Amino acid sequence: MKVNGTPFRTIWAEDGGRRVRIIDQTRLPHDFVLVDLTTLDQAAVAIRDMWVRGAPLIGATAAWGMALAMAADPSDAGLARAFDRLVATRPTAVNLRWALEDMRARLAPLAPSGRFDAACARAAAICEEDVEINRRIGEHGVALIEAVAARKSGPVNILTHCNAGWLATVDWGTATSPIYQAAARGIALHVWVDETRPRNQGAHLTAWELAGAGIPHHLIVDNAGGHLMQRGEVDLVIVGTDRTTATGDVCNKIGTYLKALAARDCGVPFHVALPSPTIDWRIRDGLAEIPIEARSGDEVAFVHGRGADGAAARVRISPEATPCANPAFDVTPARLVTGLITERGLCPATAEGLAALFPDLAGGA
Ligand code: MRU
């Protein structure tokens, strides 16, 4: 997508793969800052501390992290160390493990002298595949928006949670890809952007993205969505996912489940944009089997922003002694999901629906 007229992706390599450039997402929306990653350690910190985030981008960064590791130490021990270091950075988004297992399976049989080049080639391919997957998610998902537009006058109102936009992927985004493609087809749209406490990915990132693309939107507090749905002001909810089970249970940013409950109560369709690397074919019960990341309570106790003087500010909002709990994701059971939007088309959130679209992957769990 474009930033001030210049096309950008969220990650790319320079110097033949020895330098990986990312957008430091902790600095948005106020500063657009590019950061160079040149070591395994830097790639791991970038994922852990959320300079990059969003399931597909975490996977892409891990792949490039493996390439950086192979530049320094392509031995078997170096490969194992890189895998272990990167896989421990964030537990919930399965794209991380997917990308690392893919890289390890390709690199392990090679002689160490060939591993760096092969790692660069595969990391670059994973990025290209992500862009194409998300573009296709948009092509399929746009039909849902077109259907609403055909039966109502005025803009189609879409609610989204967290940031499942291009910043969460290599390009396009997942939940936002149908939105961008609908806008390109001239469909009138309006997006309700959940702020997404505690880290405010909606306020910091999705609002910035939509403004950059010229798509009408309003930022709302996380608690407003149910009210808007009751009043008929939401036509469609589209969210992303960090891990979806083979049976269609969807794990996404904390608060997604509450939106799904409200949507069900109000009869609002609740769709999940789902790239196939985000499907964990090994598990069937999201509540029991998906590890939920517990992040620092400081993310709840403090908010980040820009002060009246224009300087970056970090402000405590709770008493010093208040203990904070910070589960970062929740699971929406498949029964609350109207449908999944994948790169191969739309399907119900069921084992049969997923297996029908991905017969080549569903059996391999
Ligand atoms: O903690 P984050 O910011 O990495 O969480 C991101 C989300 O929950 C997204 O909705 C999800 O990764 C889908 S991204 C296309």
Side-chain angles (χ1 to χ4, degrees):
M1 304 300 284
K2 288 186 178 163
V3 179
N4 296 328
T6 305
F8 272 93
R9 287 184 173 182
T10 53
I11 189 166
W12 66 97
E14 295 183 353
D15 292 346
R18 289 172 196 276
R19 190 156 59 98
V20 176
R21 303 207 94 184
I22 58 163
I23 300 165
D24 181 353
Q25 299 191 20
T26 65
R27 303 289 301 276
L28 289 170
H30 303 301
D31 300 302
F32 183 76
V33 177
L34 301 180
V35 172
D36 287 342
L37 309 176
T38 56
T39 66
L40 165 65
D41 241 47
Q42 289 170 350
V45 169
I47 298 171
R48 185 198 65 198
D49 292 352
M50 295 177 65
W51 307 354
V52 291
R53 26 68 52 204
L57 181 56
I58 290 170
T61 308
W64 277 116
M66 285 287 255
L68 294 173
M70 292 302 94
D73 178 5
S75 67
D76 286 357
L79 185 57
R81 197 165 36 245
F83 184 97
D84 292 346
R85 176 92 172 88
L86 289 162
V87 84
T89 50
R90 293 195 72 191
T92 301
V94 76
N95 305 58
L96 176 70
R97 179 172 285 279
W98 170 84
L100 290 171
E101 286 180 349
D102 180 295
M103 295 290 285
R104 184 173 62 183
R106 289 164 196 264
L107 301 180
L110 304 179
S113 59
R115 284 179 180 164
F116 171 64
D117 285 346
C120 289
R122 183 58 189 145
I126 284 175
C127 290
E128 291 306 322
E129 286 166 16
D130 181 67
V131 175
E132 182 57 13
I133 283 173
N134 298 328
R135 192 187 64 74
R136 288 194 198 171
I137 283 174
E139 275 186 1
H140 295 296
V142 76
L144 298 169
I145 301 175
E146 281 174 333
V148 177
R151 65 169 188 262
K152 74 173 281 199
S153 58
V156 178
N157 287 305
I158 300 166
L159 183 142
T160 193
H161 190 68
C162 194
N163 172 262
W166 71 272
L167 289 167
T169 64
V170 179
D171 207 351
W172 284 107
T174 60
T176 55
S177 186
I179 293 172
Y180 290 133
Q181 298 199 29
R185 293 179 192 193
I187 297 173
L189 296 168
H190 170 263
V191 182
W192 297 112
V193 179
D194 281 355
E195 62 178 347
T196 318
R197 280 279 289 148
R199 288 186 66 100
N200 287 316
Q201 289 95 328
H204 293 171
L205 306 175
T206 308
W208 180 81
E209 277 189 24
L210 294 174
I215 293 178
H217 60 281
H218 281 87
L219 180 64
I220 53 174
V221 298
D222 290 324
N223 297 328
H227 165 76
L228 293 168
M229 290 186 218
Q230 283 176 322
R231 292 166 63 105
E233 293 182 43
V234 180
D235 295 307
L236 203 58
V237 179
I238 309 180
V239 299
T241 168
D242 288 83
R243 192 186 295 225
T244 290
T245 65
T247 55
D249 290 343
V250 170
C251 183
N252 190 47
K253 180 52 56 189
I254 193 78
T256 303
Y257 170 54
L258 292 177
K259 295 297 137 61
L261 284 174
R264 173 56 55 95
D265 189 48
C266 298
V268 174
F270 182 94
H271 288 275
V272 178
L274 172 64
S276 58
T278 309
I279 304 168
D280 189 342
W281 297 105
R282 293 176 275 211
I283 60 174
R284 301 181 66 80
D285 181 344
L287 278 171
E289 296 179 273
I290 297 179
I292 301 295
E293 180 176 16
R295 292 190 64 85
S296 165
D298 280 0
E299 293 183 351
V300 179
F302 292 88
V303 289
H304 290 257
R306 183 174 266 196
D309 60 356
R314 181 173 180 263
V315 177
R316 176 182 275 283
I317 60 167
S318 55
E320 300 261 345
T322 301
C324 299
N326 188 10
F329 297 93
D330 62 24
V331 174
T332 299
R335 65 186 153 77
L336 296 177
V337 177
T338 309
L340 302 170
I341 313 169
T342 81
E343 71 267 28
R344 294 194 189 167
L346 311 177
C347 73
T350 59
E352 298 72 29
L354 282 167
L357 281 185
F358 297 98
D360 47 331
L361 302 177

